Amino acid sequence: QVQLVESGGGLVQAGGSLRLSCAASGRTFSSMTMGWFRQAPGKEREFVAHINWSGGTTYYADSVKGRFTISRDNAKNTVYLQMNSLKPEDTALYYCAANIGSSWSYWGQGTQVTVSS
């Protein structure tokens, strides 16, 4: 079992920044690929970014590339999502997920990000 708890969401004006955190417990964090996803009202959940176990490989959705940065601290069992130049269309519930056996098997409860225009 893996428990994931997101934090750091909030209300920000367009052009602003937020840093999301996801604290993991219950399994060896440093062995897991971690990801961020988001779901806007009335839309399906979509992939945002992921990072491999060492932090050496990252991948981003085109919509956030160049604005968001995913990182991790294996000593703290935490993965981060630094979000800069936020846009109203970034408004969503943001979820952290852990990949086990090539499947996004564990999910947090989500943290709300609202970007006002």
Side-chain angles (χ1 to χ4, degrees):
Q1 284 287 347
V2 177
Q3 292 78 44
L4 302 172
V5 179
E6 303 97 335
S7 61
L11 174 64
V12 64
Q13 287 189 332
S17 298
L18 282 174
R19 188 196 197 199
L20 306 183
S21 299
C22 172
S25 61
R27 192 182 174 110
T28 305
F29 176 77
S30 60
S31 68
M32 300 187 293
T33 291
M34 299 296 296
W36 286 96
F37 293 75
R38 66 187 183 186
Q39 187 168 18
K43 296 187 177 181
E44 293 188 354
R45 188 178 299 183
E46 65 175 0
F47 167 79
V48 175
H50 72 66
I51 187 167
N52 77 329
W53 66 274
S54 68
T57 301
T58 58
Y59 188 78
Y60 298 91
D62 287 343
S63 59
V64 306
K65 201 172 295 182
R67 299 188 298 122
F68 291 10
T69 302
I70 188 171
S71 62
R72 67 191 296 160
D73 185 339
N74 286 344
K76 297 182 177 179
N77 287 358
T78 302
V79 61
Y80 305 97
L81 185 69
Q82 177 67 45
M83 306 186 295
N84 298 330
S85 302
L86 283 161
K87 304 175 182 180
E89 51 263 44
D90 294 317
T91 295
L93 189 60
Y94 283 71
Y95 296 92
C96 172
N99 191 293
I100 308 294
S102 299
S103 173
W104 295 104
S105 303
Y106 298 97
W107 297 83
Q109 294 299 306
T111 185
Q112 179 67 39
V113 172
T114 303
V115 184
S116 63
S117 57

